[in-house]
C-alpha cells in the first residue's frame, strides 16, 4: 500500500533560486493529503500531474504566508472547476476568518462544502481518523501559533503488525515539547532553515538549524530525516545536508518533485526506501 511524501516546495519566507514555498502531498493508498499550501502550490500540483480534485484534506501548519498564501487560489480553482466533494481544511482558527473575508469580498459562494476543523496551538489532538490512517496535530514553537502533523497508518489488529508513520515539523525552534508526538516515526520532515553557524538568527526567528533538526531526529528515534524550508541565503542546500549527517546519517534533502517513501523498518527488511 502506497505511503509516500511528494515535495512541492522547499523554500522559506521569500522566493529564491526557483524554490517554491512549503507544500507537500502525503499519498496514502492514493488518498491525497495536502500539507501546507504556500503561494503557487496549485501551479506545482499541475506541474507534477496532480489533479486538485483528488485532494480531500488540507492541513495548514500556521498563518505565515509562505505556508498558506496558495490556499485561497487553490480553493477558488476547485470552485471554478465545479468541485462537489466536501473539502476538509485543518488549521489555526484564524484561517477560517481569513478565508471567509476573501470569499466575502470576491462574492464567492463555494460550490462545495468547506469543512473547517480548527487545530489547537496548545495540545496534541487527533484531528482525523480514517479506516487505515490517523492524523494528529501537535504544537510547535514558532513566532505565531504553529502545529505539526503526524500521519499514522493504522492496521486491523489481526493483520501485519508493522505500521508506518510520517511527521511534519515546520516551522519551529527545536525543543523537547514535541518529542513525544514524533517519537519513532519512520520519516520525519523537520525544517532546517539555517546552518548552525546561524544559530543566533535561528533562535531569534524561532527556526531550527540543520544540526538541530538532526539532533531532534536522533533523540526522537526517527528512522529517516527529511530537511526543508531552506533560507534564501543558501543557493545550494547541500551544506545543510552535510551538517545534518554529522549527527544523523539517514538525512536527506527535500527536493521539489521528488517523492519519499514511508517504509517501516520491519516492512521489507530495509530501513527506508526512496522512490
Ligand atoms: Zn513561519
Amino acid at each position: 500500500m502506497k505511503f509516500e511524501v511528494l515535495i512541492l516546495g522547499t523554500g522559506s519566507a521569500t522566493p529564491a533560486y526557483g524554490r517554491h514555498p512549503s507544500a507537500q502531498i502525503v499519498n496514502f493508498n492514493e488518498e491525497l493529503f495536502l500539507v501546507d499550501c504556500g503561494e503557487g502550490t496549485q501551479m506545482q500540483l499541475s506541474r507534477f500531474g496532480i489533479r486538485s480534485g483528488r485532494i480531500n484534506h488540507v492541513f495548514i501548519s500556521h498563518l505565515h504566508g509562505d505556508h498558506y498564501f496558495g490556499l485561497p487560489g487553490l480553493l477558488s480553482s476547485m470552485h471554478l472547476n465545479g468541485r462537489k466533494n466536501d473539502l476538509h481544511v485543518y488549521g489555526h482558527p484564524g484561517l477560517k476568518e481569513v478565508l471567509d473575508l476573501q470569499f466575502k469580498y470576491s462574492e464567492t459562494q463555494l460550490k462545495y462544502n468547506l469543512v473547517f476543523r480548527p487545530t489547537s496551538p496548545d495540545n496534541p489532538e487527533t484531528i482525523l481518523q480514517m479506516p487505515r490512517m490517523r492524523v494528529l496535530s501537535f504544537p510547535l514553537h514558532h513566532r505565531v501559533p504553529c502545529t505539526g502533523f503526524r500521519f499514522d497508518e493504522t492496521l486491523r489488529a489481526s493483520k501485519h503488525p508493522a505500521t508506518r508513520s510520517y511527521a511534519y515539523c515546520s516551522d519551529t525552534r527545536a525543543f523537547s515539547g514535541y518529542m513525544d508526538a514524533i517519537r519513532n516515526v519512520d520519516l520525519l520532515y523537520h525544517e532546517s532553515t539555517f546552518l548552525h553557524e546561524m544559530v543566533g538568527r535561528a533562535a531569534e526567528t524561532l527556526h531550527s538549524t540543520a544540526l538541530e533538526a538532526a539532533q531532534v531526529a536522533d533523540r526522537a528515534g526517527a528512522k529517516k530525516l527529511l530537511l526543508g524550508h531552506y533560507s534564501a541565503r543558501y543557493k545550494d542546500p547541500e551544506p545543510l545536508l552535510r551538517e545534518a549527517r554529522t549527527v544523523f546519517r539517514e538525512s536527506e534533502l527535500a527536493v521539489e518533485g521528488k517523492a519519499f517513501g514511508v517504509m517501516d523498518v520491519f516492512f521489507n527488511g530495509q530501513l527506508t526506501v526512496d522512490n
Side-chain angles (χ1 to χ4, degrees):
M1 189 178 293
K2 187 183 261 189
F3 189 2
E4 68 175 30
V5 179
L6 171 68
I7 305 299
L8 300 177
T10 60
S12 55
T14 52
Y17 309 114
R19 294 197 287 259
H20 288 74
S22 294
Q24 44 185 254
I25 289 281
V26 175
N27 180 332
F28 180 73
N29 197 24
E30 298 308 325
E31 178 79 45
L32 304 187
F33 304 92
L34 177 62
V35 184
D36 275 344
C37 187
E39 189 179 344
T41 292
Q42 56 176 332
M43 310 301 284
Q44 290 293 80
L45 289 171
S46 107
R47 181 175 166 200
F48 299 121
I50 296 165
R51 283 186 298 106
S52 63
R54 292 184 57 203
I55 298 168
N56 294 319
H57 301 272
V58 180
F59 302 87
I60 301 295
S61 63
H62 68 299
L63 296 185
H64 280 152
D66 56 323
H67 294 260
Y68 88 100
F69 277 173
L71 189 59
L74 179 65
L75 299 182
S76 296
S77 295
M78 287 172 165
H79 166 72
L80 295 170
N81 291 335
R83 182 188 177 100
K84 294 278 184 289
N85 293 345
D86 288 1
L87 181 74
H88 300 263
V89 178
Y90 308 79
H92 184 272
L95 179 59
K96 176 76 167 56
E97 225 176 300
V98 172
L99 294 174
D100 284 347
L101 202 62
Q102 165 64 35
F103 293 130
K104 176 181 168 189
Y105 286 105
S106 62
E107 299 184 13
T108 304
Q109 273 285 340
L110 290 181
K111 291 195 188 95
Y112 57 90
N113 198 15
L114 195 159
V115 185
F116 185 78
R117 163 66 153 98
T119 51
S120 165
D122 304 314
N123 298 302
E125 54 179 356
T126 298
I127 52 172
L128 176 62
Q129 180 81 64
M130 298 172 79
R132 307 289 295 270
M133 166 66 63
R134 180 179 53 230
V135 185
L136 175 89
S137 79
F138 54 92
L140 296 173
H141 184 36
H142 195 40
R143 303 195 301 283
V144 297
C146 186
T147 54
F149 301 103
R150 176 179 174 136
F151 297 79
D152 277 295
E153 177 180 34
T154 57
L155 294 181
R156 283 157 292 182
S158 60
K159 296 287 181 186
H160 192 289
T163 58
R164 296 165 290 172
S165 52
Y166 169 62
Y168 175 83
C169 295
S170 180
D171 301 357
T172 192
R173 186 82 193 104
F175 83 125
S176 58
Y178 53 93
M179 212 52 84
D180 283 344
I182 62 172
R183 185 87 57 208
N184 297 330
V185 285
D186 296 295
L187 180 63
L188 171 67
Y189 171 93
H190 197 289
E191 70 126 295
S192 57
T193 308
F194 300 107
L195 283 171
H196 204 67
E197 63 190 17
M198 297 289 295
V199 66
R201 181 82 185 129
E204 237 169 70
T205 55
L206 294 182
H207 282 297
S208 301
T209 68
L211 189 81
E212 291 168 333
Q215 287 167 342
V216 168
D218 187 45
R219 283 178 202 150
K223 310 293 187 308
K224 186 164 188 162
L225 171 65
L226 200 49
L227 304 172
H229 201 265
Y230 316 128
S231 163
R233 71 180 56 237
Y234 307 115
K235 181 173 184 184
D236 177 6
E238 279 292 324
L240 296 159
L241 179 62
R242 280 200 293 276
E243 182 173 280
R245 282 185 173 164
T246 61
V247 171
F248 192 77
R249 197 177 58 84
E250 288 290 322
S251 301
E252 296 285 347
L253 289 175
V255 176
E256 285 164 26
K258 188 171 176 184
F260 295 84
V262 182
M263 301 295 282
D264 188 273
V265 64
F266 304 114
F267 196 69
N268 63 356
Q270 289 180 280
L271 271 179
T272 49
V273 175
D274 281 358
N275 289 346

